[in-house]
Amino acid sequence: GHLLQYHPVFLAVRGLVETGALGSLNCVYSNRLSFGKVRSEEDVIWSFAPHDISMILSLTGHEPEVVRTVSSRILQPDIADTAIVHMEFKSALKAHVAVSWLHPYKEQKLVVVGLKAMAVFDDTRPWGEKLALYRHVVQATDGLPSLEKAEVEFLKVQQSEPLRNECQHFLDVVSRNVEPLTNGDEGLKVLKVLSAASLSESKNEAVRLSG
């Protein structure tokens, strides 16, 4: 269950992307960092990254062409404790997921950078501040990039519980033949990226995904 696909704030972010409110996407990145829980049966990539990869694939609408992982094995010799998974897409869009269970504080943040605006989903903030929009302007001045900073806007999102939404969606799929939001195909796409990330981590080289 990719729970964050049912989070009202993520759905609002996806709505901003689909309506063009952010403009064409330049990059997407996600941080999932905390102090623990350390595992011995799986590394931090498989433990922390699935939800973030699922969100990124949902926003881009495509699978990456290339995956490259940089990691550190600190506490156990064969298990990554921190990692950054880089993804390159055909559209020249780039994304990355940073994960760690050796971070001094908790951070769960998704940043979507578009040509028109930037959206930040910070799941550690109070509900009214979970979705921030920055309408920063990038323009050329005398042939050089010029940045004009805008004030943050906190967008209102109706509050509801993601797990309850997911369970209700499952009931709707069963009783009303609704198309599943996170079906087997979606799960397989996430697994393909996770497997490529692990292969890249073990080989210390970029991995190209087949179609």
Side-chain angles (χ1 to χ4, degrees):
H2 293 147
L3 183 63
L4 290 174
Q5 291 267 14
Y6 301 87
H7 197 301
V9 177
F10 174 71
L11 294 175
V13 173
R14 198 174 69 184
L16 292 172
V17 172
E18 292 175 348
T19 60
L22 303 182
S24 59
L25 298 187
N26 294 325
C27 65
V28 182
Y29 63 89
S30 183
N31 296 337
R32 189 164 299 274
L33 316 168
S34 67
F35 188 67
K37 176 182 178 181
V38 177
R39 302 182 184 276
S40 59
E41 71 278 6
E42 64 186 9
D43 63 18
V44 72
I45 300 168
W46 285 85
S47 184
F48 281 15
H51 292 293
D52 302 276
I53 293 172
S54 175
M55 288 191 293
I56 289 172
L57 297 186
S58 176
L59 293 176
T60 61
H62 301 283
E63 297 177 57
E65 290 190 321
V66 177
V67 175
R68 180 167 50 89
T69 302
V70 178
S71 70
S72 295
R73 303 177 183 184
I74 301 168
L75 301 178
Q76 302 172 83
D78 299 321
I79 296 180
D81 301 293
T82 68
I84 300 178
V85 180
H86 297 269
M87 290 167 272
E88 298 180 12
F89 295 82
K90 186 176 182 180
S91 62
L93 171 70
K94 291 181 172 59
H96 74 256
V97 175
V99 289
S100 175
W101 53 42
L102 274 180
H103 196 71
Y105 57 88
K106 186 174 183 178
E107 181 175 337
Q108 296 177 354
K109 187 178 295 183
L110 174 72
V111 179
V112 186
V113 179
L115 194 61
K116 295 180 181 178
M118 306 172 185
V120 179
F121 169 21
D122 188 343
D123 208 15
T124 64
R125 301 289 295 174
W127 189 270
E129 299 177 2
K130 284 186 183 292
L131 179 52
L133 185 68
Y134 297 83
R135 301 182 191 272
H136 299 327
V137 176
V138 181
Q139 56 190 5
T141 303
D142 297 329
L144 296 175
S146 175
L147 305 180
E148 183 178 334
K149 189 175 181 179
E151 294 297 323
V152 60
E153 305 172 35
F154 292 108
L155 303 187
K156 293 183 179 179
V157 179
Q158 184 172 357
Q159 186 170 354
S160 62
E161 184 183 349
L163 182 57
R164 181 182 179 87
N165 296 341
E166 183 178 29
C167 291
Q168 183 60 56
H169 181 68
F170 175 78
L171 294 176
D172 292 341
V173 169
V174 173
S175 63
R176 298 196 282 115
N177 199 29
V178 174
E179 181 67 23
L181 177 61
T182 51
N183 55 20
D185 287 339
E186 193 270 343
L188 179 60
K189 291 175 181 177
V190 174
L191 285 173
K192 285 172 64 178
V193 176
L194 284 167
S195 297
S198 283
L199 183 60
S200 173
E201 196 260 345
S202 63
K203 288 190 171 183
N204 194 27
E205 64 182 30
V207 172
R208 182 168 291 275
L209 274 69
S210 58

